[in-house]
Amino acid sequence: MYHRYVVVALSRRKPNEGKELTKEEKQRLRKQKKHQKKQKERKNEKGPSETEKDKTPVSLLPPPQPVATQKAPSALPAPASAPIPVPASAPFHSSPAPSPADKPAKSKAELKAERRARQETDRAAKQPGSSSSGIKTKVPLSELNPVVKRLPEHVQVDDPAVVKRLAKKLERQQIPLRSDYGYKVSLFSHLHQYSRKAPLTQLLSIPSTVIHPSIVRLGLQYSQGIVAGSNARSVALLHAFKQVIRDYTTPPNEELSRDLVNKLKPYISFLNQCRPLSASMGNAIKYIKKEISNIPSQCKEEEAKTKLLTCIDRYIEEKIVLAAKAISKYAIEKISDGDVILVYGYSSLVNNILCEAFEKSRKFRVIVVDSRPRLEGREALRRLVQRGISCTYVLISALSYILPEVSKVFLGAHALLANGYVMSRVGTSQIALVARTYNVPVLVCCETYKFCERVQTDSFVSNELDDPDDLMVTRKGKTQLENWQDVSSLGLLNLVYDVTPPDFVDLVITDLGMIPCTSVPVVLRVKNLDQ
Amino acid sequence: MELQAVLMAAGGGSRMMDLTYNTPKPLLPVGNKPLIWYPLNLLERVGFEEVIVITTKEVQKMISTDPKVKLDVKMKLDLVCIQEDADMGTADALRHIQQKVKTDVLVVSCDLITDAALHEVVDLFRAHNATLSMLMSKAHEFTETVPGQKGKKKTGEQRDFVGVDGTGKRLLFMANEADLDEGVVIRKSIMRKHPRMHIKTGLVDAHLYCLKKSVVDFLADNKSISSIRGELVPYLVRKQFSKSTNSPKVIDETHQNLKKNDKIQISSRDEELLHLTQERSCWNDHRGDMSDAYHGGRLRCYVHIMDEGICYRVNTLAAYIEANRLAPKLFDEPAVHPSAVVSERCLIGADSIIGASCQISDKTSIKRSTIGVSTTVREKVKVTNSIIMHGVTIEEGCNIQGSVICSNAVIGRGADIKYCLVGSHSTAREHNSKIAPEKRLTECHRAEVNITYHYKSITYNNCHKVSK
């Protein structure tokens, strides 16, 4: 059973879309027939057939619409494997099996494509006005392995059906629903916006019985910003999961491998409500769930628990601590004496690199660029100066004045997307852009566990909206924006992340080595092979 | 389990002996409910399912036997009795139940009446991994005249000096005027770490504390501390900034010593992870100096100061009267109990409460008052601004103003009582007896009184005991 969604970008594109797609459909059908013939010829060879299979999904994808709200299936030839989520990558490794299924699957695909086109025209006729209906095309390119990739619920907040579904799910898990706060700018009305003054804990009972206390504490620390930063959040999450696993007892007639995963689901929803999960946290959760489900059923509970705890420790040790050491080693090679290094905001990894380079007696100075409202650069500045590194501190508005002095830019990343885009704190893409203009090399440092299968080309589709009240500032006892809610034409927008295209990034330093931005999907594929 | 609730109900009510010599403080009626009902209701609303109640044998007997005092709380009450004459402070009581305490505790006093959002206090405790988190409120002036009090209230009562940091949440300094000799002395180490401190004096301590389990264990070892508010809290607040901040604190040492070997290993590995998290996180609780979050201190005390809302500690007569005025706002029950027999020709003001099984006769006027359970009010009685407790009989033609009539008292015909306090089981004689303002009638056991109008003195006939 597939669920197919059609993305409709803007209202004015609607009437044309049906026609475009039907034309596309015809083109696609023609191409399919050609490829079918080719595949029959090269049936026995694995490699070429794989590339063919690579190409067929590409041809089935609609041409990338240059509109913001389009997500995943924007066709890029090389990282075409990326839009297909992990389970679909399996077919690439088992080429003989799907090929006999090709023919019936393709004809199925043809029928489906036609049906979809008809559905699409019907829907276009029904809804003339709504600009963002938030439904998405999932082309049956997964002829090899039908995989459904739903849009996550946290980017469909303006769709009442999705919101209702989420509410029902939370009710089932006995977790309170956090309500949105304040007026949302229309371009970002599909995202959640919460207020820090209304924590989720006011709707929970105080000795929390539904949710483990360490998870409640973690959620509070996330929503108040006490634990911030991709690495810190992942480590804290894994620490909390360790407590949960330690306090867990298998109920009778249940298996640990299945029950523990079910126990973790409400906790993850709770944490998501407190603050949307980061990509690194998502990968960590995936890893834990896999480890839990891989526990053999005859394993005793104590043994299983210690096994899980050591797995978690090992994950942290390998992916975060040792990776940081490896990245520092590579990055230090790139720092030469007399360098002027520009960093933006606070990145634990970049700070680590700079401190280690300083210890290895490299002579350099640092320029810390900071931006409101988080002003994280102050903390970065403090830690660097504490070590003895000479620093300069500017706000991002002074960027173009200071760039002529800079020899290198080191940026941290929140996640690296499958099409080579870097998702990081808002302002990073601006820095990369200006640095490119001044021909200053931009190096992004990122551990591999932050690599994410998502594809994004803009910062609108999936982002995080922070508390808009953070933008209010009190100077000399006066807060100008105090009553911003009363002004109907005013909206405060506090974005957290933005996306930097790979053209602006010169090098990505990972624990696997120094790679160009476009090799990220290769790393992802290698990772999937390992797993 | 995350938190265990402990309710301290063994106090004597030493500041309102007129009321408490007969009825123990936890069972004093406020708005026709026993005083202990209010904190229990608060805990129940918030979601607690079990409470450990530390009380005396007398109270325990009364709670279990007296149907009038029946607490309609659905939580499981674990009553722990302590000897009345043992003179135990609150910290001693905590030490007494140390075996029952398995997790962090939330200590509440039985005389707290509040509608505070408890999650604010507990969130501070959780988010910052604090050792102590408490609730305070801006003090409100008591506007009602207190019966039996001569002259104006002395304002020189022991003030509390509370120092908080810029955010208003971190507790930096706490001292009582009684402990200070000449002036407020603040250590330099505190000023160096927190150069901006707000010192507040007009705050009421709600006596609601979230304490870590290690503090309870620490109390077990240090038997010299007997009061939470008087000794333990100032000690913890001072310890935040003591010189041994970098080395493990006294509390942490006892914490580790009590654990077994393997548990120490677990806690140390988890400590490493927590340390790693803090290291990688870009949050700091202060800025302007070179130190890490919390200045590297392991012990932290937090306070939540309520601006608005009701928060009273009923430990003086004035507070008791104020609480009776405000109690109806805290629960949604009808002002006039359905079982009360109220005749049609009486005037009952909107802010009065009539208890169960009362009999109010014709032509009475009851304004801003609380009438207790099973009270009989005869004709032509005027009751204004008063608190009438259970089982009182008020004969015809009385005029009661601004007074407190304790349980089972009898007010004779035509009595005119203004701003007085009539103790339990006492009788005020009939026939135009006037009790002058600011007098206190405290009788024990059915003495008869014939009052003559004599300012600042009371004459008694046939009384067995005289107090004040």
Side-chain angles (χ1 to χ4, degrees):
Chain A
M1 251 304 278
Y2 304 83
H3 293 271
R4 268 178 298 285
Y5 304 83
V6 178
V7 82
V8 181
L10 290 175
S11 48
R12 42 195 152 95
R13 291 199 169 261
K14 277 225 181 213
N16 295 328
E17 264 178 28
K19 290 184 208 162
E20 281 177 19
L21 280 170
T22 44
K23 271 191 210 162
E24 269 178 65
E25 286 310 309
K26 289 179 193 162
Q27 278 184 341
R28 235 177 279 143
L29 294 176
R30 261 180 257 142
K31 278 191 190 165
Q32 278 175 27
K33 283 180 192 161
K34 276 190 207 167
H35 284 296
Q36 264 184 341
K37 283 185 195 167
K38 279 188 191 168
Q39 276 195 347
K40 273 185 196 167
E41 292 169 7
R42 304 178 196 176
K43 223 183 189 178
N44 295 323
E45 296 173 61
K46 250 198 189 180
S49 65
E50 268 186 14
T51 52
E52 287 308 303
K53 279 169 203 159
D54 269 343
K55 287 188 189 156
T56 44
V58 173
S59 61
L60 286 174
L61 292 169
Q65 290 169 345
V67 186
T69 53
Q70 171 103 31
K71 216 188 156 186
S74 47
L76 293 164
S81 58
I84 312 168
V86 185
S89 59
F92 294 122
H93 313 302
S94 53
S95 49
S99 35
D102 267 355
K103 258 195 189 165
K106 270 187 190 152
S107 51
K108 249 200 257 171
E110 282 176 337
L111 290 171
K112 277 176 198 145
E114 283 166 5
R115 235 186 292 144
R116 207 179 25 79
R118 254 182 278 134
Q119 275 180 5
E120 224 271 298
T121 41
D122 285 347
R123 268 194 213 122
K126 267 192 211 168
Q127 302 162 3
S130 54
S131 51
S132 51
S133 39
I135 13 180
K136 178 189 163 195
T137 4
K138 179 60 187 171
V139 189
L141 51 87
S142 41
E143 58 205 348
L144 311 157
N145 207 357
V147 176
V148 176
K149 187 95 188 227
R150 278 203 181 95
L151 261 184
E153 283 143 341
H154 66 269
V155 298
Q156 285 184 272
V157 177
D158 54 351
D159 187 356
V162 175
V163 174
K164 234 199 290 183
R165 220 187 317 142
L166 175 68
K168 257 195 238 166
K169 177 178 117 177
L170 289 177
E171 212 183 325
R172 231 184 319 130
Q173 294 174 333
Q174 295 175 291
I175 292 176
L177 176 70
R178 197 172 181 190
S179 46
D180 284 357
Y181 166 78
Y183 169 72
K184 282 192 267 190
V185 173
S186 59
L187 207 54
F188 292 93
S189 57
H190 61 285
L191 300 169
H192 282 295
Q193 180 170 282
Y194 299 126
S195 166
R196 204 154 292 144
K197 292 197 216 88
L200 200 48
T201 46
Q202 71 188 109
L203 304 163
L204 281 177
S205 70
I206 279 193
S208 63
T209 40
V210 176
I211 305 173
H212 193 273
S214 55
I215 301 274
V216 176
R217 168 174 300 165
L218 188 64
L220 263 177
Q221 288 178 331
Y222 282 163
S223 60
Q224 290 181 9
I226 295 175
V227 174
S230 194
N231 282 334
R233 289 212 276 166
S234 309
V235 174
L237 176 73
L238 291 169
H239 168 77
F241 276 174
K242 276 177 85 172
Q243 318 271 64
V244 170
I245 291 174
R246 227 175 261 134
D247 293 339
Y248 171 77
T249 46
T250 327
N253 305 330
E254 294 276 355
E255 264 189 44
L256 183 133
S257 53
R258 253 173 267 143
D259 189 59
L260 187 53
V261 177
N262 286 339
K263 275 259 158 50
L264 290 180
K265 282 200 187 133
Y267 300 161
I268 296 168
S269 313
F270 172 76
L271 291 175
N272 209 353
Q273 291 278 83
C274 290
R275 197 182 157 187
L277 297 179
S278 66
S280 55
M281 286 166 71
N283 286 342
I285 290 173
K286 255 189 247 170
Y287 173 78
I288 290 192
K289 281 192 176 165
K290 196 175 71 90
E291 285 296 314
I292 295 176
S293 11
N294 282 347
I295 290 191
S297 46
Q298 61 267 28
C299 200
K300 271 188 273 191
E301 190 178 308
E302 281 308 312
E303 224 182 282
K305 288 209 272 192
T306 30
K307 186 161 167 268
L308 285 173
L309 295 174
T310 41
C311 272
I312 292 181
D313 281 329
R314 211 181 50 219
Y315 185 83
I316 295 178
E317 185 66 25
E318 276 175 28
K319 307 277 182 181
I320 301 178
V321 179
L322 289 178
K325 288 207 185 110
I327 294 177
S328 313
K329 196 168 65 98
Y330 289 124
I332 289 174
E333 294 168 26
K334 292 288 178 186
I335 301 178
S336 31
D337 284 346
D339 259 350
V340 178
I341 300 179
L342 186 122
V343 296
Y344 176 62
Y346 177 82
S347 165
S348 53
L349 193 53
V350 173
N351 260 38
N352 204 340
I353 294 172
L354 293 176
C355 293
E356 294 225 357
F358 191 72
E359 265 164 49
K360 297 225 162 79
S361 3
R362 293 274 198 275
K363 305 269 178 299
F364 59 93
R365 67 184 179 93
V366 177
I367 298 180
V368 180
V369 177
D370 202 6
S371 72
R372 276 197 67 228
R374 286 183 171 235
L375 292 170
E376 290 170 334
R378 294 185 299 193
E379 185 61 19
L381 181 68
R382 177 188 75 79
R383 291 184 199 208
L384 292 173
V385 173
Q386 205 179 27
R387 296 298 191 107
I389 304 175
S390 50
C391 301
T392 310
Y393 177 87
V394 293
L395 287 181
I396 198 167
S397 36
L399 187 61
S400 48
Y401 295 105
I402 202 118
L403 257 171
E405 295 180 17
V406 174
S407 61
K408 292 189 180 69
V409 176
F410 272 83
L411 298 173
H414 171 258
L416 234 58
L417 305 174
N419 54 351
Y421 279 63
V422 177
M423 184 179 199
S424 186
R425 185 67 79 221
V426 65
T428 313
S429 69
Q430 197 176 334
I431 297 211
L433 172 67
V434 183
R436 162 65 91 215
T437 322
Y438 281 89
N439 284 322
V440 174
V442 173
L443 294 90
V444 169
C445 310
C446 181
E447 299 98 332
T448 47
Y449 87 108
K450 289 186 193 158
F451 284 20
C452 161
E453 310 261 336
R454 255 195 352 224
V455 171
Q456 241 181 279
T457 50
D458 57 65
S459 327
F460 298 95
V461 167
S462 176
N463 207 323
E464 190 187 323
L465 292 179
D466 209 358
D467 192 351
D469 291 337
D470 285 348
L471 292 174
M472 297 198 292
V473 67
T474 309
R475 292 205 176 98
K476 294 189 187 164
K478 275 204 290 189
T479 315
Q480 302 286 11
L481 285 172
E482 200 157 14
N483 302 315
W484 68 274
Q485 307 239 36
D486 303 334
V487 183
S488 55
S489 50
L490 180 63
L492 294 190
L493 179 66
N494 191 354
L495 278 180
V496 181
Y497 298 118
D498 75 1
V499 163
T500 311
D503 328 331
F504 300 149
V505 175
D506 292 304
L507 193 65
V508 176
I509 308 180
T510 67
D511 40 322
L512 295 175
M514 300 195 264
I515 56 173
C517 231
T518 45
S519 307
V520 170
V522 176
V523 173
L524 274 172
R525 211 183 314 149
V526 167
K527 244 191 354 166
N528 295 333
L529 262 174
D530 287 339
Q531 287 173 353
Chain B
M1 224 193 345
E2 189 187 355
L3 275 184
Q4 272 175 294
V6 175
L7 185 62
M8 300 281 186
S14 49
R15 275 183 272 184
M16 30 185 215
M17 283 313 294
D18 310 319
L19 293 173
T20 55
Y21 72 90
N22 208 15
T23 330
K25 187 168 87 161
L27 299 167
L28 274 181
V30 174
N32 287 341
K33 288 199 193 323
L35 186 54
I36 203 174
W37 182 88
Y38 290 88
L40 284 175
N41 181 259
L42 174 71
L43 292 172
E44 193 175 358
R45 258 187 294 133
V46 158
F48 277 95
E49 285 167 357
E50 293 187 346
V51 184
I52 300 175
V53 181
I54 301 179
T55 183
T56 56
K57 287 209 169 55
E58 195 190 335
V59 175
Q60 188 192 28
K61 244 190 287 171
M62 289 183 80
I63 289 179
S64 47
T65 60
D66 198 338
K68 199 171 58 187
V69 192
K70 171 124 179 147
L71 308 159
D72 51 339
V73 292
K74 299 188 189 64
M75 300 186 290
K76 197 179 91 162
L77 296 177
D78 182 7
L79 289 152
V80 173
C81 291
I82 57 170
Q83 300 288 46
E84 227 177 79
D85 46 352
D87 195 22
M88 279 182 126
T90 38
D92 295 325
L94 258 191
R95 200 177 296 130
H96 185 76
I97 56 161
Q98 194 224 346
Q99 299 303 322
K100 288 190 187 238
V101 169
K102 306 264 182 310
T103 64
D104 305 333
V105 284
L106 175 68
V107 179
V108 190
S109 169
C110 68
D111 54 10
L112 176 67
I113 296 184
T114 181
D115 62 352
L118 270 195
H119 74 91
E120 306 255 5
V121 179
V122 183
D123 279 351
L124 282 173
F125 183 69
R126 289 167 176 151
H128 298 276
N129 208 10
T131 314
L132 162 75
S133 168
M134 53 191 283
L135 176 69
M136 283 192 144
S137 166
K138 293 219 160 85
H140 301 277
E141 279 287 313
F142 294 140
T143 48
E144 308 282 336
T145 330
V146 181
Q149 206 145 52
K150 301 184 175 77
K152 245 167 79 169
K153 197 168 104 135
K154 280 183 288 206
T155 48
E157 222 182 60
Q158 306 292 313
R159 283 182 295 181
D160 273 326
F161 292 93
V162 179
V164 292
D165 75 341
T167 62
K169 298 279 176 195
R170 179 90 189 263
L171 191 53
L172 301 174
F173 178 77
M174 176 173 282
N176 192 285
E177 200 172 340
D179 302 326
L180 303 168
D181 295 325
E182 294 161 346
V184 176
V185 178
I186 301 176
R187 286 158 78 177
K188 240 197 235 175
S189 57
I190 307 180
M191 294 310 297
R192 240 181 260 130
K193 291 178 183 167
H194 298 269
R196 283 187 166 220
M197 192 191 317
H198 299 269
I199 301 190
K200 305 185 187 230
T201 50
L203 293 180
V204 166
D205 184 351
H207 217 280
L208 189 145
Y209 307 109
C210 270
L211 293 167
K212 264 220 164 100
K213 179 166 185 313
S214 48
V215 177
V216 181
D217 298 334
F218 165 75
L219 275 182
D221 291 340
N222 293 44
K223 301 213 195 301
S224 57
I225 299 181
S226 69
S227 157
I228 295 184
R229 176 64 181 90
E231 291 165 49
L232 183 62
V233 172
Y235 173 79
L236 289 175
V237 174
R238 271 199 315 269
K239 215 51 174 133
Q240 286 178 102
F241 302 106
S242 70
K243 290 261 160 68
S244 57
T245 311
N246 296 323
S247 54
K249 294 192 160 290
V250 178
I251 291 170
D252 286 335
E253 275 168 7
T254 51
H255 182 61
Q256 280 172 10
N257 288 338
L258 288 170
K259 286 190 166 194
K260 288 182 220 147
N261 273 332
D262 53 334
K263 280 195 179 167
I264 287 184
Q265 279 180 5
I266 293 175
S267 62
S268 65
R269 232 181 292 139
D270 281 354
E271 283 282 312
E272 271 175 35
L273 278 188
L274 278 179
H275 184 72
L276 182 65
T277 307
Q278 213 175 38
E279 208 191 323
R280 295 300 169 110
S281 174
C282 62
W283 180 82
N284 204 324
D285 66 325
H286 65 279
R287 57 186 175 89
D289 64 356
M290 281 302 204
S291 40
D292 288 330
Y294 307 125
H295 299 277
R298 313 260 294 269
L299 202 148
R300 301 180 273 279
C301 301
Y302 285 86
V303 62
H304 173 68
I305 301 179
M306 274 171 68
D307 286 328
E308 313 156 320
I310 305 174
C311 179
Y312 288 103
R313 282 207 60 214
V314 180
N315 50 5
T316 59
L317 193 50
Y320 178 72
I321 293 172
E322 191 77 17
N324 263 295
R325 297 278 168 271
L326 293 169
K329 294 189 195 151
L330 280 175
F331 49 89
D332 291 316
E333 282 176 20
V336 179
H337 200 273
S339 68
V341 175
V342 179
S343 76
E344 285 134 17
R345 288 160 69 192
C346 58
L347 262 173
I348 299 186
D351 37 8
S352 303
I353 307 178
I354 314 286
S357 324
C358 280
Q359 276 184 321
I360 318 280
S361 314
D362 294 336
K363 295 193 195 148
T364 51
S365 153
I366 300 177
K367 287 190 191 135
R368 297 190 79 211
S369 303
T370 311
I371 313 279
V373 173
S374 311
T375 315
T376 316
V377 181
R378 300 253 190 268
E379 288 88 8
K380 296 198 194 126
V381 168
K382 239 177 104 176
V383 181
T384 328
N385 264 348
S386 303
I387 300 169
I388 318 254
M389 294 201 201
H390 313 302
V392 173
T393 312
I394 306 182
E395 304 287 346
E396 292 122 16
C398 291
N399 185 354
I400 303 178
Q401 237 185 348
S403 309
V404 178
I405 318 278
C406 296
S407 38
N408 299 316
V410 175
I411 311 291
R413 227 172 283 155
D416 191 359
I417 302 182
K418 284 199 177 82
Y419 301 113
C420 296
L421 190 147
V422 179
S424 349
H425 297 290
S426 52
T427 316
R429 267 274 213 98
E430 44 212 65
H431 293 309
N432 302 320
S433 51
K434 276 193 196 162
I435 304 186
E438 296 161 21
K439 286 206 202 294
R440 258 189 273 170
L441 251 189
T442 53
E443 303 290 315
C444 322
H445 308 302
R446 293 182 194 86
E448 282 194 9
V449 174
N450 200 351
I451 316 291
T452 58
Y453 185 21
H454 203 121
Y455 193 77
K456 279 194 192 166
S457 76
I458 303 178
T459 50
Y460 299 84
N461 287 343
N462 304 329
C463 45
H464 303 280
K465 276 191 200 169
V466 179
S467 26
K468 294 225 175 86

